[in-house]
Amino acid sequence: MSNSTDFRGTASPRTVNSSAFLRTRRNVELCKRGEMRAERFLDAATEVFAEKGYQHAKLSEIVARAGGSLATLYRIFGDKEGLAYAILERRLENHVGILNDMNFSDLPEQALREVAIRIADSMLKAESRVVYRIVIGEGESFPALRDWFFEHAVAETRGILTRYFQQEMDNGHLRLNSAEAAATQFYMMMFGNLIIRVASGYLDKLDPVALREQALANVELFLQGALPRG
């Protein structure tokens, strides 16, 4: 048994399904050209998943867009599910990289605004929309992909934010009841509504200026309740 955390910030015990863990690449060695081919497969798969949905996407169309052969795709990724895992992992690396690259030595007002802007910009990428549609919009049909995302991406993001909020609470820069709860509240205030709209296919074209403005407005609302009062 392990503790998994949902978007509400509560930990609930669940049995970990081994099939939910990462299965992006087979144990094959790739030269530089092979790595480039793998990236083209991922880019093409992202496009096709965005247009057709994961369930209805066909490997033949992905190969036609990427070039190469179906045999090469199978050798690198195994199957369509392997491609999806690789897209989830690439998204996770990008998302976590944004948080880890932040200059958390700044006061929370500046650090959180910068985090919000960078994550807002990342939400504009087709890869982000594909990930949320797979794990939320089609999650019930593909529980292994959904569970991997929550066990890894959600937990890792919340962990980074939780550590930061605890650090700033200890430094006297934030007044919070729980760093862990605040991590979930912060992220969901920033992008919860947007994630739901994107996952349902309701919103395809995102306005980058409006998205940044909304993210910053949500940061201000969060800080109103989190900053110490003099």
Side-chain angles (χ1 to χ4, degrees), residues 23-30 33-49 54 57-87:
R23 189 175 62 81
T24 57
R25 299 279 183 92
R26 292 186 167 187
N27 188 22
V28 296
E29 293 185 5
L30 297 176
R33 183 177 179 181
E35 289 289 349
M36 292 175 63
R37 175 71 66 194
E39 290 301 312
R40 284 198 289 273
F41 280 137
L42 290 179
D43 290 341
T46 299
E47 291 178 2
V48 175
F49 291 164
Y54 173 70
K58 297 184 180 302
L59 288 179
S60 57
E61 185 170 356
I62 293 171
V63 171
R65 295 195 189 192
S69 68
L70 189 60
T72 301
L73 186 151
Y74 278 127
R75 184 172 70 88
I76 298 173
F77 297 103
D79 53 17
K80 186 169 73 169
E81 189 178 58
L83 275 170
Y85 274 116
I87 291 172

Side-chain angles (χ1 to χ4, degrees), residues 44-211:
T46 299
E47 291 178 2
V48 175
F49 291 164
E51 294 171 10
K52 305 291 180 64
Y54 173 70
Q55 185 169 7
H56 299 292
K58 297 184 180 302
L59 288 179
S60 57
E61 185 170 356
I62 293 171
V63 171
R65 295 195 189 192
S69 68
L70 189 60
T72 301
L73 186 151
Y74 278 127
R75 184 172 70 88
I76 298 173
F77 297 103
D79 53 17
K80 186 169 73 169
E81 189 178 58
L83 275 170
Y85 274 116
I87 291 172
L88 294 182
E89 184 188 41
R90 190 163 68 169
R91 167 63 180 167
L92 171 58
E93 290 175 349
N94 174 265
H95 207 62
V96 170
I98 288 173
L99 295 174
N100 282 332
D101 287 345
M102 302 313 303
N103 181 11
F104 278 161
S105 62
D106 291 334
L107 290 174
E109 297 94 312
Q110 180 60 36
L112 295 181
R113 290 183 185 113
E114 190 171 348
V115 165
I117 288 173
R118 291 188 62 182
I119 294 180
D121 289 345
S122 77
M123 295 286 286
L124 296 169
K125 298 179 179 179
E127 190 171 83
S128 296
R129 299 196 291 276
V130 166
V131 165
Y132 292 126
R133 286 183 181 177
I134 289 176
V135 301
I136 300 176
E138 300 183 79
E140 187 173 358
S141 299
F142 305 100
L145 291 168
R146 176 201 63 202
D147 291 351
W148 186 91
F149 179 81
F150 280 89
E151 295 285 352
H152 293 73
V154 173
E156 184 70 15
T157 298
R158 289 186 68 252
I160 294 171
L161 288 171
T162 296
R163 290 189 291 274
Y164 172 70
F165 286 139
Q166 187 61 58
Q167 167 192 302
E168 295 306 299
M169 288 168 65
D170 295 341
N171 291 335
H173 296 153
L174 291 175
R175 182 178 59 84
L176 300 165
N177 292 327
S178 164
E180 185 177 7
T184 294
Q185 290 162 0
F186 175 78
Y187 192 83
M188 293 307 293
M189 282 180 67
M190 297 304 102
F191 306 107
N193 179 61
L194 179 63
I195 289 171
I196 292 171
R197 290 166 67 89
V198 169
S200 66
Y202 184 68
L203 183 63
D204 277 318
K205 294 183 179 179
L206 305 177
D207 181 344
V209 175
L211 189 56

